């Protein structure tokens, strides 16, 4: 049986940015992809763009309680062996990204998590370079003590390991989710190439202070208060060097 991938794109009023996402999935050379578009009942032309550029996508459009509620809906509709969140505005770097990733990662026993690098892009599709935090060669759930080392859009876990997102967080539930996935995982495969292009103008960027407060709470819950305080002191020291 071929390995199947579910790519989940959540969106709301995203007609200005979703085309690059849809095109990057539509041109993939790997055939066994389920593409879910989870729309929050957009009031602009988002659904028209989806209909024109992704006619084979499964589209679900209804009001939701925010991005992580939409992601949870995507998980409930997913049927692939792996799930991959690629939100409106983000994209896959090359037409063979999925095919190349699976060929490299799935040569024997399937890894629990596949991960790689990501490149930041702006609204005009200019590549800004890699994120400041880079994916390590060895990954565990403890790795995220040092921050979000793997971009959410370049983190591809087995669907069977995926919990739902914790709705207490509005901006940082992805950090908590990745840690909880990794606590269940045993085998990892690192891809030495970018797996995603991340639009550097998302909700977390626009709400940076609130996001940082939530991330502190996530780290405190998983790693303890004392350890989290020490790590954040290191963050401040490193940024001021």
């Amino acid at each position: 049986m071929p390995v199947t991938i579910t790519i989940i794109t959540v969106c709301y009023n995203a007609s200005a940015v979703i085309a690059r996402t849809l095109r990057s999935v539509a041109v993939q050379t790997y055939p066994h992809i389920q593409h879910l578009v989870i729309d929050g009942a957009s009031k602009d032309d988002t659904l028209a763009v989806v209909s024109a550029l992704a006619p084979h996508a499964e589209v679900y459009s209804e009001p939701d309680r925010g991005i992580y509620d939409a992601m949870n809906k995507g998980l409930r509709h997913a049927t692939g062996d792996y799930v991959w969140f690629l939100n409106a505005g983000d994209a896959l770097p090359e037409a063979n990204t999925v095919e190349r990733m699976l060929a490299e990662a799935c040569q024997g026993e399937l890894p629990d998590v596949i991960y790689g690098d990501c490149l930041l892009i702006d609204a005009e599709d200019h590549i800004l370079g890699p994120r400041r935090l880079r994916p390590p060669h060895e990954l565990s759930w403890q790795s995220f003590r040092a921050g979000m080392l793997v971009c959410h859009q370049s983190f591809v876990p087995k669907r069977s390991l995926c919990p739902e997102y914790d709705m207490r967080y509005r901006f940082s539930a992805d950090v908590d989710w990745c840690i909880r996935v990794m606590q269940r995982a045993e085998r990892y495969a690192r891809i030495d190439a970018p797996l995603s292009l991340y639009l550097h103008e998302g909700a977390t960027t626009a709400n940076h202070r609130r996001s940082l407060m939530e991330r502190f709470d996530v780290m405190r819950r998983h790693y303890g208060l004392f350890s989290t305080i020490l790590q954040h002191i290191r963050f401040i020291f490193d940024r001021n060097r």
Side-chain angles (χ1 to χ4, degrees):
M1 293 289 291
V3 176
T4 55
I5 298 280
T6 295
I7 295 177
I8 302 172
T9 299
V10 305
C11 57
Y12 178 69
N13 290 345
S15 61
V17 298
I18 199 171
R20 73 164 61 86
T21 310
L22 302 174
R23 290 192 181 104
S24 77
V25 177
V27 300
Q28 288 302 304
T29 56
Y30 191 75
H32 307 292
I33 296 175
Q34 175 195 32
H35 190 192
L36 300 176
V37 176
I38 311 298
D39 176 70
S42 289
K43 297 178 176 60
D44 65 359
D45 293 331
T46 296
L47 293 179
V49 176
V50 172
S51 178
L53 298 180
H56 300 297
E58 299 176 34
V59 182
Y60 300 88
S61 182
E62 62 181 6
D64 55 48
R65 294 180 291 154
I67 187 171
Y68 297 117
D69 184 35
M71 288 179 170
N72 284 337
K73 292 179 182 180
L75 287 173
R76 294 173 202 141
H77 290 292
T79 61
D81 297 307
Y82 291 91
V83 294
W84 194 338
F85 284 95
L86 195 72
N87 294 338
D90 305 326
L92 300 174
E94 305 288 346
N96 66 344
T97 293
V98 176
E99 184 175 13
R100 189 178 67 244
M101 179 191 77
L102 293 178
E104 183 174 339
C106 301
Q107 297 180 5
E109 189 173 7
L110 296 184
D112 295 324
V113 172
I114 307 169
Y115 69 101
D117 215 335
C118 103
L119 296 175
L120 303 178
I121 59 172
D122 63 17
E124 285 73 43
D125 292 327
H126 300 132
I127 294 179
L128 305 177
R131 297 166 69 241
R132 183 179 64 85
L133 297 177
R134 309 297 296 278
H137 286 276
E138 299 294 333
L139 188 70
S140 75
W141 74 275
Q142 298 281 359
S143 300
F144 278 24
R145 286 179 184 271
M148 192 70 166
L149 297 182
V150 182
C151 180
H152 191 211
Q153 284 81 352
S154 295
F155 184 86
V156 186
K158 280 185 176 177
R159 179 172 57 90
S160 59
L161 299 179
C162 293
E164 292 202 344
Y165 290 82
D166 190 333
M167 292 295 294
R168 84 182 79 181
Y169 300 117
R170 289 187 59 198
F171 305 110
S172 295
D174 54 340
V175 182
D176 171 72
W177 184 81
C178 288
I179 293 172
R180 287 190 288 141
V181 168
M182 291 192 295
Q183 287 172 335
R184 302 178 179 190
E186 297 179 355
R187 295 177 301 279
Y188 300 87
R190 183 186 187 275
I191 305 301
D192 191 23
L195 292 181
S196 66
L197 303 176
Y198 173 60
L199 181 62
H200 193 49
E201 297 177 359
T204 301
T205 303
N207 298 277
H208 187 62
R209 181 181 176 85
R210 175 69 179 275
S211 172
L212 289 177
M213 293 174 63
E214 288 190 356
R215 288 191 182 203
F216 184 91
D217 188 62
V218 169
M219 299 300 180
R220 177 194 60 80
R221 287 178 50 236
H222 288 290
Y223 303 123
L225 179 60
F226 182 69
S227 174
T228 300
I229 291 174
L230 284 180
Q231 188 62 54
H232 279 71
I233 291 172
R234 293 191 190 101
F235 290 158
I236 295 171
F237 177 77
D238 289 342
R239 289 174 180 175
N240 290 334
R241 282 193 302 183

